[in-house]
Amino acid sequence: MVDAPDGSLIRFEEVGIAFAGQPVLEGINLAIRAGETLVVIGESGCGKTVLLKLIIGLLRPSAGSVVFDGKTLANLSDHELTRQRLRFGFLFQGAALFDSLSVYDNVAFGLRQMPVPEATIREQVRQRLQEVGLGPAVELKKPAELSGGMKKRVGLARALAIDPEVMLYDEPTTGLDPIMSDVINGLIVQTRRRRPLTSIIVTHDLKTVGKVAERIVMLIPLACKLPGQPQIIFDGTTADLEASTDPRVMQFVRGEANGKEGT
C-alpha cells in the first residue's frame, strides 16, 4: 500500500463527470484515509452513488483524477483495473444478487474469479454467511426466496468473501424496516471492528449516519451550487453535523429527521 503525502488511500483531484452532457459532479476534491469510515450524505441527484462507482472504476471521470493507492484509475489497463477491483467489496443498493444462482454460489462468485480451491471456497462462504447471521439452511435458496433484509446480508457476505481492503455501501438500509435497518447498521460496525477496512457508506438515513460514521461529507446537486462554491458543503464529524449552522445542512438534517418521524 502506497503512503500518500496526505495519508490518503483514495483521492479525488478536481473530479468531474457528466452524462449526455449533463454534469453531475464538478471539481470534487476529497482525500480518504486508510482505515477510515466515511459516510456520504446529500439529497437525491447529488451524485453520491456516482462517487462510489468512480472509486471502484465502474465509471471514469470526465475531468480530474481518481487515485487509489497511488495509482490513477483511468490510466490502468482493463486487466490491472480488474486486479484493483478485487481489493474492493461493494454492497449495492438492491444487493444485486444473481437471480439464477443459489445463495452459496452468489457468495462464492468472487472467490471463483481467483485461483482458490473449492474446499477453501466452501469454508469462506460458510464463515461469511455465519458472520452476517445466516446459517447453512439458506445456502441452496435462490434470491427470490429471500426477504429484503436477507438479500442485503447475503450481498454483504458476498462482498466480504474476498477479504476486501475497502468496503463500499450504497444505501445499505433503503427499503428495510427499522429493525432490519438496525441489523444492517450493526453488521457494518461489526465488519469494521473485525477487519482493518476502509469503509465508505452512501446513505440518506440519519440513524445509519449516527451509528456508523467517523467522518461525514455532504454533497449538494450542481443545480443548487452557487458560483465558485464547492459541491462538498460539509466535511466533519457527527457532532459537527448536528452543530452546523449552514442552512442547507440544517435543512437536509431536519428534513430527513421529519421524514423518518412521518413514516
Side-chain angles (χ1 to χ4, degrees):
M1 191 175 291
V2 175
D3 290 325
D6 60 359
S8 62
L9 176 64
I10 300 163
R11 196 166 67 254
F12 285 72
E13 300 173 343
E14 291 294 327
V15 170
I17 188 168
F19 301 101
Q22 183 68 35
V24 176
L25 295 175
E26 187 176 83
I28 298 294
N29 289 294
L30 179 65
I32 303 167
R33 298 182 303 276
E36 186 171 29
T37 298
L38 174 72
V39 174
V40 182
I41 63 173
E43 64 184 87
S44 297
C46 68
K48 303 187 298 295
T49 297
V50 171
L51 197 79
L52 288 186
K53 291 181 177 179
L54 285 165
I55 289 172
I56 202 171
L58 292 174
L59 294 172
R60 295 196 173 199
S62 309
S65 301
V66 179
V67 180
F68 172 61
D69 200 10
K71 297 178 180 178
T72 300
L73 295 182
N75 294 343
L76 300 181
S77 66
D78 289 344
H79 175 71
E80 180 62 17
L81 186 57
T82 298
R83 287 186 62 233
Q84 293 299 322
R85 283 182 184 144
L86 292 174
R87 300 169 67 182
F88 290 83
F90 200 140
L91 180 59
F92 293 89
Q93 184 170 338
L97 302 178
F98 299 106
D99 292 338
S100 62
L101 300 183
S102 67
V103 166
Y104 180 96
D105 288 330
N106 264 285
V107 179
F109 185 83
L111 292 167
R112 288 186 172 139
Q113 315 311 307
M114 308 174 183
V116 179
E118 192 63 32
T120 302
I121 291 175
R122 188 179 306 113
E123 181 181 354
Q124 281 280 83
V125 168
R126 289 181 176 168
Q127 285 182 357
R128 299 297 85 82
L129 285 172
Q130 186 176 26
E131 277 184 30
V132 300
L134 297 174
V138 305
E139 290 182 7
L140 297 181
K141 291 182 180 293
K142 294 291 181 63
E145 301 175 78
L146 306 177
S147 67
M150 290 177 73
K151 286 179 182 177
K152 290 278 178 117
R153 285 192 275 176
V154 172
L156 179 56
R158 181 179 64 185
L160 294 175
I162 59 172
D163 287 326
E165 298 170 42
V166 182
M167 266 300 304
L168 308 177
Y169 301 86
D170 186 13
E171 299 284 5
T173 60
T174 291
L176 302 180
D177 62 59
I179 293 174
M180 188 49 63
S181 293
D182 283 344
V183 170
I184 297 300
N185 288 334
L187 287 172
I188 293 172
V189 173
Q190 171 187 289
T191 297
R192 182 181 68 201
R193 287 173 178 164
R194 288 182 173 179
R195 294 176 171 80
L197 280 170
T198 304
S199 303
I200 303 163
I201 302 108
V202 158
T203 187
H204 66 275
D205 185 345
L206 292 180
K207 287 188 176 179
T208 297
V209 174
K211 186 154 189 175
V212 309
E214 293 176 341
R215 175 186 172 199
I216 304 157
V217 299
M218 180 175 171
L219 292 168
I220 56 171
L222 284 176
C224 301
K225 187 173 81 69
L226 300 175
Q229 177 189 58
Q231 197 173 357
I232 295 176
I233 63 166
F234 176 85
D235 187 341
T237 65
T238 305
D240 296 332
L241 185 74
E242 293 171 352
S244 176
T245 57
D246 186 308
R248 295 154 305 177
V249 175
M250 293 170 67
Q251 182 181 16
F252 177 82
V253 171
R254 288 173 181 167
E256 289 301 316
N258 291 338
K260 289 295 179 185
E261 289 168 6
T263 58

